[in-house]
Every structure is written in structure tokens, then in C-alpha cells.
């Protein structure tokens, strides 16, 4: 019952975010606007909020985690959560009819779970079994669902309307979110968040030093990486994608 209530609340939150984003479509216009990002004023405000939270809380905690926890421990934590992701990747690769990727993801999860102490050790990589990370947003994209406008989600960061909606489905397969014991769930969720942020420290530090506009750099990197992942590294010509967005712009009143 508690899990149902939790999932219902999550659904309402995602619905509210997507409706709010839809209501702001068209708020940015003009020849200089990126057609992929018609919500830019809204997105920039959320990006600024996320950045403030990150600098005040998440980044200091992640730095402390790296300083205190031995590298071997941090690697084991990352392996554990990545192993769970392999299970969900098995499902999504299967939904995309990618037999080899689904099979390898399945064997990775099984081998690391049973031979790698619950996933703490990455035995599958030592056996040269490749990773094929896929989420439900990738699956929707594979079957032709457009990404829609770029969307920055509060606390969760870069996304799109499609990927934002897909996150609700991904959340149903999340190990941490499905734990019934609330204190344990909170601890596991916190550790997962800190581990993920720690893994991004080098990247974000580099962006801080190199990017003139961190918002634009983050947006372009996200959209490019998602498109590449959906098409397994061979996305269609960017010009074709721009034509599709230009056509959408021309239809707008």
C-alpha cells in the first residue's frame, strides 16, 4: 500500500512538471532561439536552482565522500548500482529487439550478482562481457517517439519531455525506490545519489573551467549523448533532425 501511494505521488509530480513545461512552450521565440530548447527561460531558472543546490550541498558531500571513502569501497558501491542498472538494461534491450545486447546484459547481471558478491565485484567486465546501458527513454526513442523540447528537471537535471515521462517508468524498476523499509530506502537513495555525483566531479570541474556558458554546454552534451545512445553511436544526420524541428516551428501560430 505504501509503495502504491509513493508511486502515485511520483506520477503526480511528473505530470505537474510536464504540464508546467508544456504551458511554457512558446515563451521563447525569435531567430536566435535553439529550436530544441523553446523552454530556455524556464530551463535556465531551474538550472540556476539546481546549480545552487549542487554547490551548497551535493558537491561538498561528494568531495567529502571521495576524500573519506577508499577508492576500492567507492568502486564497489558504483559496481553495485550499475549491476542493478544492467537488469533494467536487459528489459529495455529486449523491448528494442536487441538480442545480443539483451543477452549480454542478462549475463552481466547474473554473473555479477552470484559471483560478484551481489554486484560489488564486476566479474562480468573481467570476462569481457560488454555493457549495454539502456533506459525507457532510450526505448521510446528507438521506437520513434520524439524527444520533444529539452527540459531541465528540478534536482534531477537535464532531460527532455520524452525522457522526463520515461523516468517514471524507470523509477518503477529502481531498487532503492522499491524498498519497503523507509529508513533503509532513504539511506540507499542517498548513497546512490552521492556515488553518482562523485562520479561526475571531474567532468563538472572541467566544464566549470572550460565552458563560457555552462547551461548551453550541458544542454548540447546531453542531447548529443542521448541521440547517440539511442542509435548505438550512429545517429541520423543532425541536419535531418533540425529540419524536423524547423517544420514544427513553422506550424506554430
Amino acid at each position: 500500500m505504501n509503495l502504491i501511494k509513493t508511486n502515485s505521488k511520483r506520477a503526480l509530480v511528473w505530470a505537474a512538471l510536464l504540464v508546467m513545461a508544456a504551458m511554457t512552450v512558446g515563451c521563447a521565440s525569435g531567430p536566435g532561439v535553439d529550436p530544441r530548447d523553446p523552454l530556455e527561460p524556464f530551463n535556465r531558472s531551474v538550472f540556476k536552482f539546481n546549480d545552487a543546490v549542487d554547490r551548497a550541498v551535493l558537491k561538498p558531500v561528494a568531495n567529502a565522500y571521495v576524500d573519506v571513502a577508499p577508492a576500492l569501497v567507492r568502486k564497489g558501491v558504483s559496481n553495485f548500482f550499475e549491476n542493478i542498472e544492467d537488469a533494467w538494461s536487459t528489459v529495455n534491450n529486449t523491448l528494442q529487439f536487441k538480442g545480443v545486447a539483451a543477452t549480454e546484459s542478462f549475463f552481466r547481471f547474473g554473473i555479477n550478482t552470484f559471483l560478484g558478491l551481489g554486484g560489488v565485484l564486476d566479474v562480468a567486465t573481467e570476462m569481457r562481457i560488454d555493457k549495454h546501458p539502456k533506459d525507457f527513454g532510450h526505448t521510446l526513442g528507438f521506437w520513434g517517439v520524439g524527444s520533444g523540447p529539452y527540459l531541465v528537471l528540478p534536482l534531477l537535471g537535464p532531460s527532455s519531455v520524452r525522457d522526463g515521462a520515461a523516468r517514471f517508468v524507470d523509477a518503477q524498476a529502481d531498487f532503492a525506490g522499491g524498498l519497503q523499509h523507509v529508513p533503509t530506502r532513504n539511506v540507499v537513495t542517498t548513497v546512490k545519489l552521492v556515488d553518482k555525483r562523485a562520479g561526475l566531479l571531474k567532468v563538472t570541474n572541467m566544464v566549470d573551467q572550460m565552458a563560457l556558458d555552462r547551461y548551453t554546454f550541458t544542454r548540447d552534451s546531453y542531447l548529443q549523448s542521448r541521440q547517440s545512445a539511442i542509435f548505438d553511436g550512429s545517429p541520423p544526420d543532425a541536419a535531418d533532425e533540425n529540419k524536423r524541428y524547423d517544420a514544427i516551428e513553422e506550424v506554430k501560430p
Side-chain angles (χ1 to χ4, degrees), residues 104-150:
E104 290 188 336
S105 296
F106 174 77
F107 278 111
R108 282 189 59 86
F109 176 71
I111 290 171
N112 285 340
T113 298
F114 294 104
L115 300 182
L117 304 179
V120 174
L121 302 178
D122 190 357
V123 180
T125 295
E126 296 296 327
M127 297 174 64
R128 298 185 179 180
I129 302 176
D130 293 333
K131 289 180 65 69
H132 304 276
K134 297 293 181 183
D135 56 36
F136 194 63
H138 290 135
T139 298
L140 292 178
F142 175 83
W143 289 110
V145 178
S147 66
Y150 177 67

Side-chain angles (χ1 to χ4, degrees), residues 60 79 94:
N79 287 342
T94 300

Side-chain angles (χ1 to χ4, degrees), residues 98 134 138 141-142 226-236 241:
K98 296 178 178 178
K134 297 293 181 183
H138 290 135
F142 175 83
R226 292 294 292 184
Q227 187 77 343
S228 178
I230 288 170
F231 292 96
D232 295 324
S234 301
E241 190 72 6

Side-chain angles (χ1 to χ4, degrees), residues 50-77:
N50 288 349
D51 188 56
V53 173
D54 180 66
R55 291 179 184 277
V57 181
L58 296 180
K59 189 174 182 179
V61 172
N63 277 317
Y65 172 66
V66 171
D67 291 339
V68 173
L72 189 62
V73 173
R74 300 199 308 272
K75 182 61 176 176
V77 172

